[in-house]
Amino acid sequence: MKENPKHIRISEYNYPLPDERIAKFPLPVRDQSKLLIYRHGEVSEDVFTSLPEYLPAGSLMIFNNTKVIQARLHFRKETGALIEVFCLEPIQPNDYVLNFQQTEHAAWLCMVGNLKKWKDGPLCREMTVKGFPITLTATRGECRGTSHWIDFRWDNPEVTFADILEVFGELPIPPYLNRDTKESDKETYQTVYSKIKGSVAAPTAGLHFTPRVLDALTEKGIDLEELTLHVGAGTFKPVKSEEIEGHEMHTEYISVSRSIIKKLIDHDACAIAVGTTSVRTLESLYHIGVTLANNPEATEEQLHVKQWQPYETECDVRPVVALQKILGYLDRHGMEALHTSTQIIIAPGYDYKIVKAMVTNFHQPQSTLLLLVSAFVKGNWHTIYDYALGHDFRFLSYGDSSLLIP
């Protein structure tokens, strides 16, 4: 049985990050960010537009095409108190697409800001959407951990919940930027290829890509494909426990088309992942395939990847075989895409199955994303971060990028 990372001390994944090294805004031209290249232990640097030069022709590159939703809604009480309702994930209906299409009622799991000022009764807000005057109400239901069930209702069937968020929602930029959302963030905090609404945080490694970089990758003979993982607010959740065993990973929803599974099989289950969200999705696919290898009749709920599953199950199934099991599952159920969820934690001790290289930004100290990077570079993350800190790299969501090839 492989090493279990539950007793890793998060304090060993700390480094000094001065506030001035956190990029508060993106560069004027996305693809002019710096690119740190880590190859087989050696570190160098370049500019992001040079990325295609470092990748082998014929490889498969996977992007996360999720789109950040304007998930923060503000209500003012008659007392003057401002209440923020931050939509985290849909509950009723619990499918993102269906929920966004609702025309009278939608329920979400939400974080509530200034909760103590919202004693009882619904919150109301008058608004005009698509030329229609409507009243939006928010009613608080049961508490679930640090979040609440919130029922939204509005009085015009011409207006969808997506329309309401589009007009009155605010884009949730990361809390560590310590600033208000600007109009420019609506464009700069989305990848140029974002399509599927559902994230409350951007898959930030993708923010560096421009049409010219994507064209250059295609010209190099690199196969570009997209999957979807909706990034939850839990991505910013700090690890509070001394050992990571005490940290509960958030659930994130994934959607992977049949054609991508086939493409991965054609590439011998090897991929270059753009961002940690693509990494988490691709590696989760392997463990879903292992579940199906052990239980071909597994239900959709049983395909959910639990936090510690990779460390507690014998994983002697070859990656290509695991992917073939998923393809068989889709065929048996007449499905064009796999829709499921993952809580996977990737930490030192994890054995990567599909991801052979990754493009990623520089992550917060003591974060689960730093654990994921450390697992990928066999514990050598200090080399990468010391170089970045010593060579004027910009950190976090709007910061610079790295290409990691272990």
Side-chain angles (χ1 to χ4, degrees):
M1 190 62 85
K2 65 184 75 60
E3 178 193 345
N4 193 314
K6 287 183 181 179
H7 300 302
I8 286 174
R9 300 178 72 80
I10 197 64
S11 57
E12 292 168 15
Y13 293 84
N14 204 357
Y15 69 90
L17 179 58
D19 188 61
E20 63 270 15
R21 302 305 297 276
I22 298 172
K24 297 288 195 285
F25 290 94
L27 295 177
V29 181
R30 297 172 183 250
D31 61 16
Q32 292 307 294
S33 53
K34 285 161 69 113
L35 177 68
L36 180 149
I37 298 100
Y38 172 88
R39 276 192 297 191
H40 319 310
E42 299 294 315
V43 181
S44 59
E45 67 177 271
D46 207 326
V47 67
F48 194 80
T49 42
S50 303
L51 175 70
E53 298 166 23
Y54 296 95
L55 302 176
S59 42
L60 174 63
M61 195 170 208
I62 306 277
F63 297 80
N64 181 5
N65 65 11
T66 188
K67 188 166 193 166
V68 186
I69 58 172
Q70 291 175 200
R72 294 181 190 271
L73 287 162
H74 294 101
F75 294 84
R76 195 171 288 285
K77 294 199 70 180
E78 288 169 10
T79 58
L82 188 67
I83 312 286
E84 179 183 278
V85 180
F86 184 176
C87 298
L88 295 180
E89 61 183 75
I91 309 174
Q92 218 177 34
N94 65 3
D95 176 272
Y96 281 89
V97 176
L98 289 178
N99 195 296
F100 290 135
Q101 291 170 352
Q102 294 301 297
T103 55
E104 287 173 36
H105 165 256
W108 283 68
L109 194 61
C110 301
M111 284 197 296
V112 180
N114 209 7
L115 179 65
K116 62 182 182 294
K117 292 286 174 69
W118 186 7
K119 295 283 191 290
D120 50 29
L123 301 174
C124 296
R125 180 164 175 180
E126 307 285 327
M127 53 178 76
T128 302
V129 180
K130 291 169 42 180
F132 299 106
I134 67 165
T135 301
L136 175 69
T137 64
T139 307
R140 198 169 93 216
E142 67 185 35
C143 178
R144 294 190 178 182
T146 55
S147 307
H148 285 81
W149 176 307
I150 304 290
D151 285 294
F152 295 102
R153 296 186 189 279
W154 57 103
D155 53 358
N156 194 309
E158 300 292 325
V159 174
T160 66
F161 193 61
D163 295 331
I164 290 170
L165 290 182
E166 199 64 40
V167 176
F168 279 95
E170 185 182 279
L171 201 75
I173 60 170
Y176 48 64
L177 294 184
N178 286 326
R179 65 172 175 81
D180 291 337
T181 302
K182 302 279 190 279
E183 187 64 26
S184 59
D185 291 309
K186 286 185 181 177
E187 183 180 341
T188 58
Y189 196 60
Q190 300 281 16
T191 63
V192 297
Y193 47 80
S194 65
K195 293 179 187 66
I196 313 295
K197 291 179 178 178
S199 278
V200 298
T204 53
L207 295 179
H208 307 274
F209 287 83
T210 55
R212 68 175 162 185
V213 173
L214 295 169
D215 288 346
L217 288 164
T218 303
E219 283 166 26
K220 177 80 185 272
I222 292 164
D223 210 339
L224 311 182
E225 289 289 344
E226 297 173 2
L227 45 71
T228 306
L229 177 140
H230 290 316
V231 190
T235 190
F236 300 122
K237 185 176 159 189
V239 179
K240 294 275 179 63
S241 51
E242 279 189 29
E243 296 186 344
I244 64 169
E245 182 174 24
H247 182 78
E248 186 185 354
M249 287 294 284
H250 50 293
T251 296
E252 290 174 313
Y253 296 89
I254 61 179
S255 173
V256 184
S257 70
R258 197 172 178 285
S259 59
I260 290 219
I261 306 288
K262 289 185 76 169
K263 191 74 68 88
L264 280 163
I265 292 168
D266 292 344
H267 283 81
D268 202 28
C270 297
I272 301 162
V274 175
T276 54
T277 58
S278 298
V279 170
R280 286 161 53 75
T281 308
L282 289 166
E283 292 299 314
S284 294
L285 287 180
Y286 172 78
H287 298 288
I288 291 164
V290 170
T291 298
L292 286 166
N294 294 329
N295 176 15
E297 302 306 313
T299 64
E300 190 175 321
E301 287 72 33
Q302 289 169 320
L303 297 185
H304 167 80
V305 181
K306 298 187 187 75
Q307 179 163 335
W308 302 108
Q309 185 174 326
Y311 313 94
E312 294 168 346
T313 325
E314 283 297 345
C315 299
D316 50 3
V317 178
R318 288 193 307 112
V320 167
V321 173
L323 292 167
Q324 286 166 339
K325 297 296 180 188
I326 297 176
L327 206 53
Y329 170 84
L330 295 177
D331 288 345
R332 286 195 302 280
H333 293 83
M335 296 159 70
E336 279 306 305
L338 175 73
H339 299 284
T340 185
S341 55
T342 182
Q343 271 182 291
I344 193 171
I345 186 166
I346 297 180
Y350 180 82
D351 181 16
Y352 276 84
K353 300 296 186 181
I354 291 174
V355 177
K356 305 303 178 193
M358 80 170 76
V359 176
T360 189
N361 286 16
F362 298 95
H363 305 292
Q364 286 179 290
Q366 302 193 86
S367 63
T368 56
L369 300 181
L370 193 53
L371 293 173
L372 178 152
V373 167
S374 179
F376 194 62
V377 297
K378 306 290 188 283
N380 207 8
W381 67 273
H382 271 297
T383 303
I384 296 161
Y385 278 67
D386 288 349
Y387 184 97
L389 286 164
H391 290 78
D392 212 31
F393 276 71
R394 300 157 73 250
F395 278 62
L396 308 187
S397 298
Y398 274 143
D400 293 316
S401 185
S402 66
L403 169 65
L404 309 179
I405 304 171

